[in-house]
Amino acid sequence: MALGVGLSRWGSYLGVQPVFLTDVLVAAGAGHCAAVRLTGRGRRPARGFGLGEVAVGLFALYAMAQFVLGGDHSLLALRDFAPYGYAWVGLLSGWALRASGPAQRAATARLLVIALYVHLVWVVVATAVPGLTTWLPMLPGGRARLLELRPDFDAAMLGVTASLSLVRFMRGDGRFAGLIAILCLGLAAGMPSRAGLLAACICCVLTLVLTGAAARRQGVVSDRRLLVFAVALCGAALLPMTRAGSKLFASFGLVETSSELGAVGVATMSAREKAWQAVIQYVADTHTRVFGSGYGINFVAESGAYIYLSGVSLVRSPHNYLIGLYARLGLVGVVLFLLVVAAAVRAVVRARSAIGSDDLLLIATIVPAAILTTAMMGVVLESPFGAVPFFWCLGILLAAGWDRPGYETDRPETVSAVAGSTVAVPATTSTVAVPATTSTVAVPATTTLLPTF
């Protein structure tokens, strides 16, 4: 997770093809969780899986079954399966959250905040020095250069950083939080990706809505919050003047196509709609709508949709996650995925009172919204740097908000004492309180991180 949001596309491809650092870290996280479970060390999860996590498990199992039972087990088919196989990360992060304490969650949030600021720093450098990446070395495997920008994903992550900064500004935390938010949104607006800009805007709107609900319940509307709304209105008025904003508004017919960028935006959206129709028709004519075409088949080339995209037959994604999911896994895969998304939305609603004051929950809420937005017009969610953070955050949300009082309750967990007695660990101290009939035993406090990959 931290690797994906901090180093973006080029960071996820560190390694030697076909083994990348992302996959190594995911495997290490899975191994750590399995070792903790088998040895009985650490805190035990506070409760079992919720319905949302069951939906994630079913989606992951179905995707795996399609690969195992399919006739193609080549590396190409494995590559097609990987984006859906990363759904298992959601179960790992959810299990880790339930087995964690307040100190662990706070440490994880700090790591993710640092990763977002690292991302902001190198994006500023790469943007301020045009052509910088051409001077930097190509990573092993030839997939990306060091500090190479991925406009749709990077703009979306800038939106996440802006949202976090807005919340801190409204809370009065951080001297430069407001300026950081403006910087992030300015960088996102300057990038050529309309999907990334839309994701950044959705992040900020969602943040204001969620924090506004908490503010109304408390009966407090701060001057800082009013200032944020005023700046947001000014930014919305200027949005059509930006490069990505012009393409975005023209694509949806919100403004007249009066510029070259607007014309490009309209033409691109029209071409993608034709590609999506071609893929849907291809699946209906040659495969079953229920289960899709499976892995290994380049349905974009077979359907002729590549003509409307880049014109290169090697393209394997229709630039729409749901369309690609339908083509690969059929209606069953689409329904299971939408159940996961619906469960995550429900979890956000249930945990909304804590989102404005908890950085981990805020990040876990905003990141999936940003990535899913870009995935509707791109291939971010079909790549490891998008899929891993997406499912990791969904796992956090589903584990945090499915049951009352859920995430907000940090009841002491029972652990085995050295002498074999049962003790209760308070949420904020480093001592162990023994039941009333015994004495107090001091136990060193340890702070570990949730697996952030």
Side-chain angles (χ1 to χ4, degrees):
M1 169 64 182
L3 178 69
V5 302
L7 302 184
S8 183
R9 178 176 179 264
W10 63 269
S12 69
Y13 288 126
L14 292 172
V16 180
Q17 193 174 0
V19 179
F20 298 106
L21 182 58
T22 300
D23 302 313
V24 173
L25 293 177
V26 169
H32 171 74
C33 291
V36 169
R37 181 69 174 174
L38 293 175
T39 60
R41 300 176 61 184
R43 293 165 57 106
R44 292 190 177 185
R47 54 184 181 271
F49 287 119
L51 294 178
E53 291 169 293
V54 171
V56 174
L58 289 175
F59 177 75
L61 282 173
Y62 174 68
M64 179 176 288
Q66 281 269 33
F67 178 75
V68 173
L69 301 178
D72 191 344
H73 299 96
S74 64
L75 286 177
L76 195 59
L78 181 62
R79 173 188 172 188
D80 293 337
F81 159 71
Y84 312 112
Y86 286 128
W88 290 107
V89 172
L91 297 181
L92 293 176
S93 64
W95 181 90
L97 182 82
R98 292 194 311 276
S100 68
Q104 293 169 309
R105 294 196 286 266
T108 301
R110 286 194 297 271
L111 176 62
L112 295 181
V113 171
I114 292 173
L116 287 170
Y117 286 147
V118 167
H119 174 264
L120 173 60
V121 169
W122 73 258
V123 167
V124 168
V125 172
T127 304
V129 185
L132 174 64
T133 56
T134 60
W135 306 340
L136 298 176
M138 181 75 71
L139 297 176
R143 304 295 293 273
R145 289 186 179 275
L146 192 67
L147 303 188
E148 182 178 341
L149 289 170
R150 169 80 189 208
D152 52 356
F153 182 80
D154 290 327
M157 290 303 101
L158 288 171
V160 175
T161 308
S163 299
L164 180 67
S165 300
L166 285 177
V167 170
R168 292 188 166 188
F169 175 77
M170 290 185 287
R171 291 197 311 237
D173 299 338
R175 181 180 303 177
F176 304 106
L179 294 177
I180 292 175
I182 294 175
L183 173 62
C184 290
L185 293 177
L187 288 170
M191 291 184 178
S193 172
R194 55 189 162 182
L197 178 60
L198 180 61
C201 293
I202 287 178
C203 287
C204 294
V205 171
L206 183 59
T207 298
L208 292 174
V209 170
L210 292 174
T211 57
R216 285 193 297 271
R217 282 194 298 273
Q218 297 170 1
V220 177
V221 180
S222 66
D223 294 339
R224 288 173 177 263
R225 185 173 182 81
L226 293 176
L227 178 60
V228 167
F229 275 108
V231 174
L233 289 175
C234 294
L238 296 174
L239 201 58
M241 303 178 186
T242 64
R243 182 180 180 184
S246 176
K247 293 171 60 179
L248 176 64
F249 280 82
S251 299
F252 294 101
L254 299 178
V255 297
E256 294 184 1
T257 308
S258 57
S259 66
E260 182 179 350
L261 286 175
V264 171
V266 171
T268 303
M269 181 59 71
S270 176
R272 289 185 180 180
E273 289 175 353
K274 293 178 181 178
W276 300 340
Q277 293 171 1
V279 169
I280 293 173
Q281 189 61 45
Y282 166 77
V283 174
D285 292 341
T286 60
H287 299 278
T288 169
R289 293 186 179 93
V290 177
F291 300 110
S293 64
Y295 308 114
I297 298 175
N298 187 350
F299 59 83
V300 175
E302 295 292 334
S303 65
Y306 73 94
I307 298 175
Y308 305 107
L309 297 174
S310 65
V312 180
S313 60
L314 295 178
V315 175
R316 302 184 67 84
S317 172
H319 289 71
N320 183 298
Y321 184 76
L322 291 180
I323 300 296
L325 179 61
Y326 169 72
R328 290 284 179 212
L329 302 181
L331 290 174
V332 175
V334 173
V335 169
L336 288 176
F337 178 77
L338 293 179
L339 285 176
V340 173
V341 173
V345 172
R346 178 175 178 268
V348 169
V349 173
R350 296 175 73 89
R352 64 188 181 279
S353 60
I355 290 176
S357 58
D358 189 301
D359 289 345
L360 179 60
L361 274 186
L362 177 65
I363 293 172
T365 301
I366 300 301
V367 168
I371 292 177
L372 188 58
T373 300
T374 59
M376 292 299 99
M377 291 183 280
V379 299
V380 167
L381 197 44
E382 294 163 272
S383 306
F385 58 89
V388 171
F390 179 82
F391 286 109
W392 189 92
C393 289
L394 286 188
I396 296 295
L397 286 178
L398 295 174
W402 76 269
D403 189 19
R404 285 293 186 184
Y407 181 86
E408 298 178 41
T409 295
D410 288 313
R411 288 191 295 266
E413 299 298 326
T414 58
V415 297
S416 298
V418 176
S421 60
T422 300
V423 295
V425 181
T428 59
T429 65
S430 60
T431 59
V432 175
V434 182
T437 56
T438 60
S439 57
T440 300
V441 180
V443 177
T446 58
T447 299
T448 58
L449 298 178
L450 277 68
T452 51
F453 311 113

